[in-house]
Amino acid sequence: MTMSAPAPPWWRRAPVVVAVVVAILLVELVLGWRPLVEAVGQLRTPHWNWVAGAVVAEIASMGTYARMQRALLRGAGTTVRMRRHVALAYAAHSLSATLPGGPVFSTTFNFQHMRRFGASSAVASWCIALSGVLSAGALVVIGAVFGILTRSTGSWQTLLTYMGGALVVAVGVRLVAQHPEWLINPARRLLSGVNRVRRRPADAGHARLTGFVDQLRSVRVRPLDLGYAVLLAIANWLLDALCLWMCCIAVGADDIRPAQLVIAYCAGMAAASVPIVPGGLGVVDGALILGLVAGGLTSSSAVAAVVLYRLISFGFIIGTGWLVWLVLRARVTAGTPRGGPAHP
């Protein structure tokens, strides 16, 4: 005889949860109605020359990210035409920003296309991981520098701490790149533990792991290419922040200082790193609006600027990325022999 599960308490039942969410949204709408109406009014008459500048800045931001990955891949010995890297950056970014579990799909998509570019599995994995490390590290350094400029962090010791941490990570990455054999024993132990859980032979996959590490030994990113990639990672974030600043000017909100805007921007991007909902919708917007208001903008101006910024950085860029993904998908499918598997 099967016993039915106990009924959840009244406050966890679906109708109650929906009613609470609707009530919260209604309260927010009532409290924020006036700023929202004013924001819509500002969005109706933007300065179109600044809107065009914001679009150009966002396109340039995507271009610098593509160049960063190209520099890492070229430094590891694989040279690919720039337009292919740009197309990959747009498509992978759209997958990451809009799909549930998007970063997993984006990483797989990046890996598959880098393999088609001619990179080995080790080189492709290495470049994807390193580009993520550089991008995250660049955002931390930018936040620390502008935090000091606005005196919102303690002192220059804070910046030195962040810079020291970034240097330790860079040195660690460099050492692992030069001595990938250091990873073999820990990776074998981890793999053996996974095999025990899956009830497979303890040495299953060890030969493949050793082969992968042997490929990794050939990866030698030149210091010049690595330094260039670091600069591009910083430029990627700063150009995106420039897009937000131009959106502020486009709606008439030009009374915020650049340092305060960048702090608000870093807060929004930090919120975006927590994938609660696709694209960080609501989470990123709320963090950006709060940061801009703290920087001196009115609520209506902050809402208008963020809406315009998200229309460009999310709507325009993500829409373009999905179109690029469809083109890449069609090309891959056309190049696949009939009856063979087609990978996105």
Side-chain angles (χ1 to χ4, degrees), residues 86-294:
V86 172
L88 178 59
Y90 272 86
H93 178 63
S94 295
L95 290 174
S96 178
T98 56
L99 293 179
V104 176
F105 289 101
S106 176
T107 300
T108 303
F109 184 81
N110 257 318
F111 178 82
Q112 290 173 343
H113 278 268
M114 285 188 181
R115 293 284 287 133
R116 292 189 183 101
F117 293 165
S120 66
S121 58
V123 168
S125 301
W126 182 251
C127 288
I128 292 171
L130 189 55
S131 63
V133 169
L134 292 182
S135 186
L139 183 62
V140 169
V141 170
I142 290 171
V145 170
F146 281 88
I148 288 175
L149 292 178
T150 58
R151 297 180 182 178
S152 61
T153 55
S155 62
W156 285 98
Q157 282 81 1
T158 306
L159 177 60
L160 292 177
T161 300
Y162 283 126
M163 295 293 288
L167 181 61
V168 169
V169 172
V171 171
V173 167
R174 182 75 176 168
L175 287 174
V176 171
Q178 292 176 339
H179 304 282
E181 64 276 6
W182 293 351
L183 301 175
I184 287 185
N185 288 334
R188 278 179 176 170
R189 286 193 292 269
L190 177 61
L191 183 58
S192 297
V194 172
N195 287 335
R196 282 194 297 271
V197 173
R198 299 178 62 187
R199 297 181 180 179
R200 300 180 62 186
D203 59 349
H206 283 201
R208 187 175 179 180
L209 175 64
T210 302
F212 181 84
V213 173
D214 287 339
Q215 291 182 33
L216 202 57
R217 285 187 178 130
S218 64
V219 179
R220 290 291 184 271
V221 179
R222 294 174 296 182
L224 185 61
D225 289 306
L226 185 59
Y228 181 50
V230 170
L231 294 177
L232 289 171
I234 295 173
N236 168 240
W237 293 115
L238 291 179
L239 285 168
D240 195 27
L242 177 63
C243 173
L244 176 60
W245 179 68
M246 288 185 170
C247 288
C248 291
I249 298 179
V251 299
D254 53 358
D255 51 348
I256 184 171
R257 289 184 295 177
Q260 293 172 324
L261 181 136
V262 174
I263 291 299
Y265 170 80
C266 289
M269 294 307 103
S273 65
V274 183
I276 300 174
V277 292
L281 290 175
V283 179
V284 174
D285 309 279
L288 287 174
I289 291 171
L290 290 175
L292 292 177
V293 170

